[in-house]
Amino acid sequence: MTKATLSDIVSERLGVSKIEAVDYVEHVIEIIKETLESGESVKVSGFGNFQVKSKSPRRGRNPQTGDDLTIDARKVVSFKASTLLRNHINDEE
């Protein structure tokens, strides 16, 4: 699903114009991004948790040349689905 598809669905379900729906979707995504950038987790009840995790530097290997290299420390976003979402996806209730 793309942002455009999501905006179309929001427009249909809320009965708002497509321009307003795009604006709503963009604002929600921007709020989530800003929250994660500040280091906070985002918890959406019944959906799941987005969390920023720090990865330590580690040794790696270039698969083309076989040369050893160091992969820099970085932050990654992880998502853990809620039990409700997992059950819904697996048709368990």
Side-chain angles (χ1 to χ4, degrees), residues 31-32 34-44 48-53 77-78:
I31 291 167
I32 292 171
E34 289 171 359
T35 303
L36 291 171
E37 285 173 359
S38 73
E40 292 181 64
S41 297
V42 175
K43 212 177 252 196
V44 181
N49 298 320
F50 295 91
Q51 190 174 29
V52 177
K53 295 185 178 184
V77 176
S78 69

Side-chain angles (χ1 to χ4, degrees), residues 25-87:
V25 170
E26 288 289 340
H27 275 72
V28 169
I29 291 171
E30 191 61 34
I31 291 167
I32 292 171
K33 283 179 7 183
E34 289 171 359
T35 303
L36 291 171
E37 285 173 359
S38 73
E40 292 181 64
S41 297
V42 175
K43 212 177 252 196
V44 181
S45 181
F47 185 70
N49 298 320
F50 295 91
Q51 190 174 29
V52 177
K53 295 185 178 184
S54 295
K55 291 208 159 207
S56 302
R58 61 185 172 94
R59 290 179 17 167
R61 190 168 45 92
N62 182 330
Q64 290 181 336
T65 63
D67 294 340
D68 286 336
L69 54 96
T70 300
I71 299 171
D72 295 332
R74 64 194 188 282
K75 292 181 181 179
V76 296
V77 176
S78 69
F79 173 76
K80 184 175 180 185
S82 73
T83 304
L84 289 173
L85 178 60
R86 283 194 306 259
N87 290 344

